[in-house]
Amino acid sequence: MNTAGPADVPARTGLQLTPFRGLRYDPDRVGSLAAVTSPPYDVIVRPDGLIHLESADPHNIVRLILPQAATPSIRNEQAADTLDDWLAEGILTADPEPALYVYEQRDTTGHLQRGVIGALRLSEPSEGVVLPHEDVMPHVVADRAALMRATTANLEPLLLTYRSDDSAAASQHTTSAVVERAAGRPPLLSTTTEDGFGHRLWAVTDPAELAGIQADLTHHQALIADGHHRWATYLRLRAEHPSPSPWDHGLVLLVNTVRYPLRVRAIHRLLHRLPVPEALAALEGLFRVRHLAVPLADALTALAEAATAGNAFLLAGDGAFHLVDRPDEALLARTVPAGRPQAWRTLDATVLHATLLDHVWHIPEDSPAHIAYIHDTAATVEKAEQEGGTAVLMHPVREEVVRDLARQGVTMPRKSTSFGPKPASGLVLRSLAH
């Protein structure tokens, strides 16, 4: 997704990916590998999805990434104790030697994604090596940091993308060549999760292949596709530990999107305490509102069509859909911050947060009591109807807009995009203590 090529990033500041001894489930000690995996922590719809995962297997990774207890400190202590118990019991075991891991995902349509999992040297955005594109919520970073401190582990890989046209693909030492060669060997593990995704993992331990990947990646920069809060957490924890230390690196999955383009989807908002009638009443004279008595799929089609002409949102929660578009230009001029690129000022997420949440509805965007961020469209609508709140359904932002803003050093509003497919949690973990 980033257009940086081999000449764009000096070798001394490019991506530095290090092998590590992965922690993996012993398949003989769990019901099935599929039953112990989970989506990333922030994709799980709570509480239903969480309960489902906890009941799938007593050793499901969700007990580490989203422990449940009365207080945050007890939750984190519980996760640390659980991890220690699973290591002592051999539920999780460390691979015998450090490796980089080739990871493959394939969905029911045949869409294929492959990348490399490793421990990446951390860098500040100002270094131009790893580029964020979204803002983060401080309370989420604090929560993730407390969990990582307690467990002394990277429990889930971030999803980062880089771009390489691999004009030298004939070389056996490029990252892509190593990835494709590994995919031709028997995998360490292979499983199919209940969403229909097939997952395979290979360890790369050959010194020549490791050296080839490391030399190749030093010429590239990466974009954070998924995991901004965890990357910010990595940086916070690095600052707490004198260097050199294991905290200088963080667990990531790197995907070359020239070969394996990611899909971009929207992240929707659930406004817990705002009923749909109140939300619509506040929009009178500020936006055009059209009521749609159609199924969800048709309503999303209408949203996509409206989004081609400007800012558009779909509200739901009262048994119908309401297409909101054509914002008042004077309202936007008053509420959207100046001094940013036009591409940023016209983002749906910018208008949602600066205009609708802050000015029209007066909803604090960083308060879990008022707002939730949900990836699944139908689940967002269903929860809004159950609660009597308002679902705000978003249209995905275009990939090139994300890339261009990131290269300018401009971050988008939090939870603006959902890139995927996301790596499953639970296939490989990284301990910072062993």
Side-chain angles (χ1 to χ4, degrees):
M1 299 213 334
N2 186 301
T3 56
D8 293 324
V9 181
R12 68 179 181 277
T13 59
L15 300 169
Q16 299 179 29
L17 198 65
T18 301
F20 68 103
R21 292 180 64 201
L23 293 181
R24 296 190 296 110
Y25 282 100
D26 182 342
D28 295 329
R29 303 296 302 274
V30 297
S32 74
L33 289 176
V36 295
T37 63
S38 162
Y41 80 97
D42 57 342
V43 179
I44 299 168
V45 178
R46 287 167 261 182
D48 298 344
L50 182 63
I51 294 171
H52 174 72
L53 290 165
E54 286 182 330
S55 61
D57 189 284
H59 302 107
N60 189 283
I61 191 68
V62 77
R63 298 182 185 275
L64 300 182
I65 63 176
L66 278 179
Q68 298 301 295
T71 67
S73 60
I74 296 176
R75 287 198 298 269
N76 296 329
E77 182 179 347
Q78 177 177 293
D81 290 343
T82 299
L83 178 57
D84 288 343
D85 289 345
W86 290 358
L87 289 169
E89 296 167 13
I91 303 298
L92 286 169
T93 59
D95 282 335
E97 58 182 317
L100 297 177
Y101 296 86
V102 171
Y103 175 47
E104 175 190 279
Q105 294 165 276
R106 189 190 300 268
D107 68 13
T108 55
T109 70
H111 180 81
L112 178 67
Q113 177 174 292
R114 288 176 180 151
V116 180
I117 295 175
L120 185 68
R121 185 188 71 85
L122 304 180
S123 59
E124 297 292 340
S126 59
E127 297 177 53
V129 178
V130 176
L131 305 176
H133 71 266
E134 287 184 357
D135 295 330
V136 298
M137 292 175 273
H139 75 274
V140 177
V141 176
D143 177 74
R144 290 292 101 184
L147 178 64
M148 285 191 203
R149 287 191 202 97
T151 58
T152 321
N154 298 154
L155 302 173
E156 310 175 86
L158 283 63
L159 175 59
L160 305 186
T161 72
Y162 73 102
R163 290 184 67 84
S164 174
D165 59 13
D166 285 332
S167 57
S171 169
Q172 63 177 334
H173 300 301
T174 66
T175 303
S176 293
V178 175
V179 167
E180 300 308 316
R181 194 158 55 246
R185 301 195 290 259
L188 284 178
L189 65 84
S190 178
T191 190
T192 301
T193 45
E194 65 178 5
D195 57 6
F197 269 88
H199 307 264
R200 297 198 294 170
L201 191 76
W202 296 263
V204 177
T205 57
D206 178 81
E209 291 189 327
L210 292 174
I213 291 175
Q214 292 170 319
D216 181 29
L217 290 177
T218 58
H219 299 291
H220 297 287
Q221 62 183 173
L223 178 71
I224 301 176
D226 185 70
H228 284 82
H229 288 91
R230 282 167 285 165
W231 182 260
T233 299
Y234 288 168
L235 293 177
R236 174 179 291 192
L237 294 174
R238 180 185 67 169
E240 296 175 1
H241 295 83
S243 185
S245 82
W247 299 94
D248 293 339
H249 295 75
L251 186 64
V252 306
L253 165 64
L254 275 169
V255 175
N256 177 7
T257 53
V258 170
R259 296 180 69 92
Y260 298 107
L262 270 65
R263 295 171 174 172
V264 187
R265 293 187 170 92
I267 302 176
H268 310 296
R269 276 63 171 165
L270 172 62
L271 310 181
H272 298 294
R273 300 181 180 181
L274 182 67
V276 173
E278 291 183 20
L280 295 175
L283 298 177
E284 187 173 350
L286 302 177
F287 286 76
R288 181 176 70 168
V289 179
R290 287 176 284 167
H291 302 271
L292 307 178
V294 297
L296 175 58
D298 293 340
L300 292 173
T301 298
L303 173 62
E305 292 172 352
T308 63
N311 300 119
F313 311 92
L314 198 63
L315 306 190
D318 62 347
F321 296 101
H322 310 273
L323 184 61
V324 175
D325 64 355
R326 297 188 183 179
D328 178 72
E329 292 298 329
L331 172 68
L332 297 182
R334 292 196 311 272
T335 57
V336 175
R340 296 287 190 97
Q342 181 67 8
W344 181 89
R345 299 185 77 250
T346 55
L347 288 169
D348 286 340
T350 298
V351 172
L352 172 64
H353 286 260
T355 303
L356 287 171
L357 294 181
D358 292 352
H359 182 82
V360 177
W361 292 328
H362 306 291
I363 293 175
E365 59 180 312
D366 58 353
S367 170
H370 289 84
I371 185 170
Y373 299 84
I374 303 178
H375 293 70
D376 185 87
T377 308
T380 310
V381 175
E382 181 181 356
K383 289 185 72 65
E385 292 177 345
Q386 291 173 347
E387 295 183 5
T390 295
V392 182
L393 306 184
M394 310 282 288
H395 184 67
V397 65
R398 291 180 294 113
E399 175 184 336
E400 54 267 30
V401 173
V402 178
R403 180 182 66 242
D404 291 344
L405 288 174
R407 296 190 72 186
Q408 295 177 59
V410 177
T411 54
M412 299 165 63
R414 59 199 64 174
K415 299 295 183 180
S416 293
T417 59
S418 176
F419 288 90
K422 304 177 189 302
S425 299
L427 296 180
V428 60
L429 292 66
R430 174 178 176 249
S431 171
L432 284 78
H434 298 88

